[in-house]
Amino acid sequence: MADLSLLQEDVQEEIDGSLDFVSQDEMLTPLGRLDKYAASENIFNRQMVARSLLDTLKEVSDDEKDCIAVLERVSRLSEDSEPTVRAELMEQVPHLAMFCQENRPSIPHAFSKYLLPIIVRYLADQNNQVRKTSQAALLVLLEQELIERTDVESKVCPVLIDLTSPDSNDDVKTEAVAIMCKMASMVGRDITERLILPRFCEMCCDCRMFHVRKVCAANFGDICSVVGQDATEKMLLPRFFQLCSDNVWGVRKACAECFMAVSCTTSQELRRTKLSALFINLISDPSRWVRQAAFQSLGPFISTFANPSNSGQYFKEEECKSSKDDQQSENDESRTAKEVLAEDASSVEEEDDVPLIDKLCTDSDVNFTVKLESSLEDVAGESSKDSSQQVDFLSCCTLPLQSTADSSKPEQISNESNAHEVLELASPESPVTEQELYNSFHFWRTPIPEIDIDLELKRTQAESRSTESSQTVQKASSPGSPNITMATRKELEEMIENLEPHIDDPDVKAQVDVLTAALKASKLGTQEDPKSSHLNREILYRNDRIETGKINCKIACEDSGPLISDSVECMQSTLRYIHDDSDLSTSGSFSPEDEKKSKVQDVVPQALLDQYLSMTDPSRAQTVDTEIAKHCAYSIPGVALTLGRQNWHCLRDTYETLAADMQWKVRRTLAFSIHELASILGDSLTAADLLPIFNGFLKDLDEVRIGVLKHLYDFLKLLPPDKRREYLYQLQEFLVTDNCRNWRFRAELAEQLIFLLELYSARDIYDYLLPIALNLCGDKVSSVRWISYKLVSEMVKKLYLAPTQTLVLDLMNKLVEQFCRSSKWSGRQTFVFICQALIEDDCLPMDQFALHLMPHLLHLASDRVPNVRVLLAKTLKQTLLEKEYFLTSANSHQEAVEQTIMALQMDYDSDVKYFASIHPASTKLADDAVSTASSTY
């Protein structure tokens, strides 16, 4: 007991001491308390001082001298040796700065004199937490525009530049570069170009610290967007090229991630000639992480090539129409929208009908063919006479091709401009018919699709004729063909070796690929395997059929010297056969659909598009990224807009592959964007290519269907009325979900039905949409029901505006039968909610409402469930009586309402009595919770 008494005395002494301590603090002034705890040896006390600085400053805000004194104590506290105290102080600096800004008249220049030097000094603090806190504070103050521009130039930027000097600490240097990049967008273009850009370019070439280069690469796009196109192309792009070829994969990955932002600030020409080749290098990078980032940025990078003249999209009167060039768009101004859309649809259909071989005939292909032929002849060392004849021959052969590429009617060109040129090359002894004049060999094309059918049907005849042709060819090529073939292969190998160092250039790479294929073809020609013999039979048979064609027209010439060019001709024929008909032995025949699926276009570099189309290749998921197909699906609307609807054939197969992907995330991504793609493609392409996929999404998983449902109105409004009406029968299927607890699905359906009302007639709304709406009004989740009440009220409004009143009367009668006379109190409460929505939204004239619905509404005053009567009282007092119709006109309806309210005021339930007695405006906001509670069941 003695010990217990001693303990009680000690506790009492401590309590008395603490009370004395508290009383002493209360006697101190705010500055006195600040000085007392700031000088304490206890770290916790000094932390508490830092946290209470704002409160102390507010207490003395009326006295300017006291405010200055507090800020001076802040400066002394910033020199504390404990990092936690400095970090705590820095967290309070933004709040102190905002207070100083608000009270600027009383304490002018307080932030610039006392607080900003602390922030700048802490940027180089030895403690990492203090530095991070100061960096965050600096960015917040710059974002809030609390730092003057003069202070940024004179106090902030010089310190950051010093911190990025070569002798600076590695971590500090990296953080300083990051701060410079992030503040560039806040300080503007002028300061960035004068103070930040030169040091940023130096940091991009920091050879010692790859972390610095990585930070520069990660923020490269932000700097480019601030300084603009001129500075980007002159100063930044050379550094960007160096970073993209950095020996650290993290730097290259950062470059790939910001590639789109860099591309947006360059010219179209530079984007096409330089950046495209640079991006191809990143896609083929040895590091998987770099390739993964590059493929994720591929779609956004392609979208930077978008151009109204290329994509065929322009906006006029809020409608997206197609224009092939600027001149046509100007002419369209004087024509009706229907004519323009009709021509656009026909142009798209005509282009889809053009075979693959016609689409491949472009001017660039022709020039490349001439260049390749000329280089091969130079290697062969022919005489000047032979070379001139060869060039003349090539010019004669390629001229019809150029004209074909520039024309939209190849049949007309062949008959008018090509006939006399081909006849000049033909032998005088061999007459040429009009039908034989126009074939694929005249235009350096792939053999026409009927080749395989002819080979199968006329094999016997082909063998007999090929025997005679082979004898003729052997006479022309047998004397020195082995040596010539060996010489050709040797020269081709030398050319490939010379081009190898420049393989990074896409054009050089394409030329190397062609030369390599030609080299393989020459080796294939010396082998006597069944495949090559079958190939020779086909070539000889074709040559026999077109004796005046361009393959053997050189043999018909008088000079017999350029035999190497003959072998090159043969190799090119073989190359075309191998490249285009590699699956001949398995497929057996061409199909016209395959020829229409051309992937050639001129909007973006073809190499970029080919890489994008390869993102659906299953091997990409193994070697690059398992979700690469999802990234492809995410960016396909942007790529489609860039290419334009006239080049949709390039993406059609890829889109169908993505729509059938096994991963539901891929299909979900497409479902969320199919309405955007439909607006890009237009009516005809949407009906042909997107509707089947859309129908498949409707029957997919709920995770996919929700994407279609969220934009159901946006998609259906793009369809013609007959196609749109077909989906009325399928809307009922949205009520069935994989998980009955997925109430958000039904809520989204109700919201979309509100928008769909404008797309359908009154009869269709009554027959198809009304049953769905009434079903949703009885949903178990109140959020679904609230939207459904709005839906029903909009239906009543739509049907009332119809030419006949029969449908709206039937709808109101159905509401009375199904809800007002329901055996469940929840159904009767739903009727009151619907009436409340009709009154608030003015869906019906009040006289019509009073005539058809109000008698049934007032009848619920005698309902046996208090919740129904409570809601009725609120509806009458807060909604109905606010309408002018019931305030000014003295009629039987007004008397009935007043009698009902008087009866509710005498109700035995206190809640009903309360809501029937109060003034509507006094509790309208306070009763929302009660309204919600009364609506749940």
Side-chain angles (χ1 to χ4, degrees):
M1 294 294 294
D3 295 338
L4 182 60
S5 62
L6 292 175
L7 179 62
Q8 292 176 348
E9 291 177 0
D10 294 338
V11 171
Q12 186 64 32
E13 291 178 358
E14 292 179 359
I15 294 174
D16 294 340
S18 62
L19 291 176
D20 294 339
F21 186 78
V22 172
S23 61
Q24 292 177 3
D25 285 350
E26 291 179 351
M27 295 176 61
L28 296 175
T29 62
L31 286 177
R33 287 196 304 269
L34 187 64
D35 292 335
K36 176 181 178 180
Y37 290 106
S40 175
E41 296 181 357
N42 191 335
I43 298 175
F44 177 75
N45 288 339
R46 300 201 300 273
Q47 288 180 350
M48 293 302 297
V49 168
R51 294 176 185 173
S52 61
L53 283 173
L54 182 61
D55 295 334
T56 303
L57 194 61
K58 289 180 178 179
E59 291 180 9
V60 300
S61 59
D62 296 335
D63 191 343
E64 181 181 349
K65 294 183 179 180
D66 290 343
C67 291
I68 298 300
V70 172
L71 294 176
E72 290 176 349
R73 270 101 174 146
V74 171
S75 299
R76 289 200 298 266
L77 188 63
S78 65
E79 300 175 357
D80 196 287
S81 59
E82 178 59 35
T84 57
V85 177
R86 300 198 302 272
E88 191 68 44
L89 173 63
M90 186 49 57
E91 290 183 0
Q92 301 301 320
V93 166
H95 304 289
L96 297 175
M98 293 178 185
F99 178 81
C100 293
Q101 182 70 18
E102 294 173 358
N103 298 272
R104 191 179 182 87
S106 59
I107 44 177
H109 308 294
F111 172 75
S112 176
K113 183 176 180 181
Y114 296 102
L115 299 181
L116 185 58
I118 301 175
I119 299 175
V120 172
R121 188 172 72 251
Y122 279 6
L123 291 175
D125 196 274
Q126 296 297 322
N127 185 267
N128 181 55
Q129 182 181 3
V130 177
R131 292 200 310 273
K132 296 294 185 183
T133 310
S134 64
Q135 293 164 13
L138 177 61
L139 293 178
V140 169
L141 295 175
L142 286 172
E143 185 178 2
Q144 298 294 330
E145 298 181 354
L146 297 178
I147 305 180
E148 299 291 339
R149 293 184 64 85
T150 56
D151 292 337
V152 173
E153 296 184 30
S154 61
K155 297 181 180 181
V156 178
C157 289
V159 173
L160 292 175
I161 293 175
D162 292 340
L163 294 178
T164 56
S165 61
D167 57 346
S168 180
N169 180 272
D170 293 341
D171 294 337
V172 174
K173 181 191 295 186
T174 304
E175 295 169 358
V177 173
I179 291 295
M180 290 171 59
C181 296
K182 292 178 181 178
M183 65 181 288
S185 60
M186 304 176 188
V187 300
R189 178 174 181 176
D190 179 54
I191 296 179
T192 302
E193 286 186 346
R194 288 190 293 105
L195 303 178
I196 297 179
L197 184 59
R199 182 49 61 94
F200 178 81
C201 294
E202 295 177 9
M203 293 297 99
C204 290
C205 303
D206 192 309
C207 301
R208 191 171 63 88
M209 284 290 297
F210 82 89
H211 295 287
V212 175
R213 302 196 303 273
K214 184 177 179 180
V215 171
C216 292
N219 297 276
F220 211 96
D222 297 334
I223 298 294
C224 292
S225 60
V226 173
V227 300
Q229 179 176 336
D230 294 338
T232 297
E233 296 180 354
K234 293 178 181 178
M235 300 183 63
L236 291 177
L237 272 190
R239 304 291 184 267
F240 189 67
F241 275 74
Q242 295 176 4
L243 294 175
C244 287
S245 59
D246 197 276
N247 56 357
V248 179
W249 67 264
V251 178
R252 304 194 302 273
K253 178 176 179 291
C255 291
E257 291 172 347
C258 70
F259 213 95
M260 175 187 176
V262 177
S263 177
C264 289
T265 56
T266 60
S267 63
Q268 186 75 265
E269 180 182 359
L270 192 61
R271 189 180 303 142
R272 179 179 295 272
T273 56
K274 301 297 183 181
L275 293 183
S276 299
L278 186 62
F279 196 85
I280 292 296
N281 292 338
L282 293 176
I283 284 183
S284 57
D285 194 271
S287 172
R288 175 172 182 169
W289 306 112
V290 178
R291 297 197 303 271
Q292 178 177 336
F295 272 107
Q296 291 182 15
S297 302
L298 178 56
F301 175 51
I302 291 177
S303 67
T304 60
F305 288 87
N307 192 310
S309 61
N310 291 337
S311 60
Q313 303 290 329
Y314 71 95
F315 293 94
K316 177 183 177 183
E317 298 179 358
E318 299 182 357
E319 292 183 3
C320 184
K321 306 185 181 72
S322 174
S323 65
K324 290 190 174 182
D325 51 35
D326 296 336
Q327 181 177 1
Q328 180 176 348
S329 63
E330 294 175 358
N331 296 335
D332 291 341
E333 299 290 340
S334 59
R335 292 182 292 175
T336 62
K338 182 179 293 186
E339 293 175 351
V340 175
L341 291 175
E343 291 186 9
D344 294 338
S346 62
S347 65
V348 171
E349 294 175 357
E350 290 176 3
E351 184 165 358
D352 288 342
D353 293 337
V354 178
L356 169 63
I357 52 179
D358 291 341
K359 294 179 180 179
L360 289 173
C361 296
T362 60
D363 294 338
S364 60
D365 297 333
V366 173
N367 297 333
F368 179 76
T369 304
V370 175
K371 184 190 300 182
L372 179 59
E373 288 284 352
S374 302
S375 61
L376 289 176
E377 291 169 357
D378 294 339
V379 171
E382 296 297 328
S383 62
S384 59
K385 177 180 178 180
D386 298 333
S387 299
S388 61
Q389 292 177 352
Q390 176 70 6
V391 172
D392 295 338
F393 166 74
L394 286 173
S395 62
C396 293
C397 291
T398 55
L399 182 59
L401 177 58
Q402 293 174 351
S403 62
T404 305
D406 297 336
S407 175
S408 60
K409 296 181 180 181
E411 294 81 5
Q412 182 179 356
I413 297 297
S414 64
N415 292 335
E416 295 178 1
S417 63
N418 299 347
H420 66 278
E421 296 179 359
V422 177
L423 285 175
E424 292 178 357
L425 296 174
S427 176
E429 294 81 12
S430 57
V432 180
T433 63
E434 186 71 18
Q435 182 178 1
E436 289 180 342
L437 269 177
Y438 182 75
N439 56 65
S440 60
F441 286 91
H442 291 167
F443 297 91
W444 294 83
R445 296 174 180 164
T446 308
I448 56 178
E450 288 77 14
I451 287 179
D452 297 330
I453 301 176
D454 293 342
L455 289 176
E456 295 295 333
L457 297 178
K458 302 182 179 182
R459 184 171 299 277
T460 304
Q461 181 180 0
E463 291 178 355
S464 60
R465 302 182 66 177
S466 64
T467 304
E468 301 176 359
S469 301
S470 61
Q471 296 176 358
T472 305
V473 173
Q474 287 177 359
K475 292 179 182 179
S477 60
S478 60
S481 59
N483 298 332
I484 292 172
T485 304
M486 292 297 295
T488 303
R489 288 204 297 269
K490 182 178 179 181
E491 299 297 340
L492 288 175
E493 292 173 354
E494 292 180 358
M495 292 181 61
I496 294 174
E497 291 178 359
N498 294 334
L499 293 175
E500 284 286 345
H502 311 285
I503 193 115
D504 293 338
D505 191 343
D507 296 334
V508 176
K509 185 177 183 301
Q511 190 171 359
V512 170
D513 293 340
V514 174
L515 292 175
T516 304
L519 181 61
K520 293 179 180 179
S522 68
K523 295 179 181 179
L524 186 65
T526 60
Q527 300 175 358
E528 291 298 334
D529 55 279
K531 184 176 181 180
S532 62
S533 61
H534 171 74
L535 177 63
N536 292 333
R537 282 202 306 270
E538 182 189 355
I539 295 175
L540 294 173
Y541 171 65
R542 176 59 59 183
N543 290 342
D544 185 68
R545 289 186 58 188
I546 52 169
E547 294 177 356
T548 59
K550 297 181 180 180
I551 297 300
N552 57 0
C553 63
K554 290 183 181 180
I555 301 178
C557 296
E558 296 180 358
D559 56 315
S560 58
L563 295 178
I564 291 181
S565 59
D566 291 346
S567 62
V568 172
E569 290 285 333
C570 184
M571 282 189 292
Q572 286 189 346
S573 301
T574 307
L575 175 61
R576 288 196 300 272
Y577 181 87
I578 293 174
H579 178 72
D580 297 321
D581 306 335
S582 58
D583 58 343
L584 181 62
S585 58
T586 57
S587 62
S589 61
F590 292 109
S591 61
E593 289 78 12
D594 292 337
E595 293 190 353
K596 292 182 180 180
K597 296 174 182 177
S598 170
K599 303 299 184 293
V600 176
Q601 43 72 49
D602 59 352
V603 180
V604 301
Q606 188 63 34
L608 290 178
L609 182 60
D610 292 341
Q611 293 290 345
Y612 180 80
L613 298 179
S614 69
M615 292 176 70
T616 57
D617 192 341
S619 62
R620 293 292 191 189
Q622 302 296 328
T623 59
V624 180
D625 186 6
T626 55
E627 293 190 351
I628 188 173
K630 181 182 177 182
H631 298 302
C632 179
Y634 180 81
S635 56
I636 201 167
V639 177
L641 179 63
T642 302
L643 295 178
R645 65 180 64 171
Q646 68 273 13
N647 291 316
W648 166 243
H649 57 274
C650 299
L651 297 175
R652 183 186 296 113
D653 292 347
T654 300
Y655 191 81
E656 293 175 355
T657 303
L658 293 172
D661 196 276
M662 294 296 295
Q663 302 182 62
W664 63 267
K665 293 182 179 180
V666 178
R667 305 194 303 274
R668 174 186 170 92
T669 304
L670 293 181
F672 271 93
S673 62
I674 192 172
H675 67 287
E676 297 288 354
L677 194 59
S679 64
I680 295 171
L681 298 182
D683 299 341
S684 59
L685 291 177
T686 297
D689 298 330
L690 296 187
L691 274 185
I693 296 175
F694 181 82
N695 295 334
F697 288 159
L698 293 178
K699 302 175 182 178
D700 212 314
L701 302 175
D702 285 351
E703 290 79 3
V704 180
R705 296 170 68 201
I706 188 63
V708 174
L709 181 59
K710 274 185 173 294
H711 304 284
L712 186 62
Y713 164 78
D714 297 327
F715 184 83
L716 292 183
K717 72 178 182 180
L718 301 174
L719 302 180
D722 55 339
K723 291 287 185 181
R724 185 189 307 152
R725 197 173 184 277
E726 295 176 1
Y727 289 93
L728 285 171
Y729 308 94
Q730 304 183 34
L731 294 177
Q732 192 80 20
E733 299 177 1
F734 283 110
L735 292 174
V736 181
T737 57
D738 300 335
N739 185 3
C740 61
R741 297 181 179 178
N742 190 6
W743 60 269
R744 292 181 177 84
F745 198 91
R746 301 189 297 275
E748 187 63 41
L749 174 61
E751 291 182 355
Q752 286 297 313
L753 289 179
I754 295 176
F755 297 117
L756 291 177
L757 295 179
E758 68 178 63
L759 300 181
Y760 295 102
S761 63
R763 171 54 65 181
D764 289 337
I765 292 174
Y766 184 85
D767 293 341
Y768 299 101
L769 303 186
L770 180 60
I772 302 176
L774 298 180
N775 190 321
L776 294 174
C777 286
D779 197 90
K780 295 181 180 180
V781 180
S782 61
S783 298
V784 179
R785 296 196 302 271
W786 280 111
I787 304 175
S788 302
Y789 302 152
K790 173 71 173 177
L791 172 61
V792 173
S793 65
E794 291 295 330
M795 286 184 174
V796 173
K797 185 176 182 179
K798 175 82 174 182
L799 297 183
Y800 179 77
L801 298 176
T804 60
Q805 300 297 316
T806 305
L807 295 178
V808 68
L809 295 178
D810 293 343
L811 172 56
M812 289 187 288
N813 293 334
K814 188 170 289 189
L815 293 176
V816 172
E817 292 295 331
Q818 185 167 342
F819 296 112
C820 184
R821 298 175 183 175
S822 174
S823 58
K824 296 182 178 181
W825 71 270
S826 58
R828 300 192 297 273
Q829 188 187 55
T830 297
F831 180 79
V832 181
F833 274 120
I834 293 176
C835 292
Q836 184 181 18
L838 291 174
I839 298 172
E840 290 178 348
D841 298 337
D842 294 325
C843 299
L844 279 176
M846 283 297 100
D847 57 343
Q848 296 294 320
F849 177 84
L851 179 63
H852 299 289
L853 292 177
M854 197 173 70
H856 306 285
L857 180 65
L858 300 180
H859 180 72
L860 295 178
S862 59
D863 195 277
R864 62 181 182 273
V865 179
N867 281 12
V868 178
R869 302 196 303 275
V870 167
L871 183 60
L872 175 63
K874 291 178 60 178
T875 301
L876 295 179
K877 290 289 290 184
Q878 299 178 7
T879 305
L880 189 67
L881 290 182
E882 289 188 346
K883 295 298 178 181
E884 185 178 359
Y885 178 80
F886 294 97
L887 294 177
T888 58
S889 59
N891 50 45
S892 59
H893 301 299
Q894 184 181 15
E895 296 177 1
V897 172
E898 292 178 353
Q899 293 176 2
T900 303
I901 291 177
M902 292 179 60
L904 292 174
Q905 291 175 351
M906 301 175 62
D907 196 276
Y908 65 89
D909 187 90
S910 59
D911 291 333
V912 176
K913 188 182 302 183
Y914 172 78
F915 285 109
S917 302
I918 61 175
H919 191 272
S922 61
T923 57
K924 198 162 190 179
L925 297 177
D927 296 335
D928 289 341
V930 179
S931 175
T932 304
S934 64
S935 65
T936 55
Y937 51 88

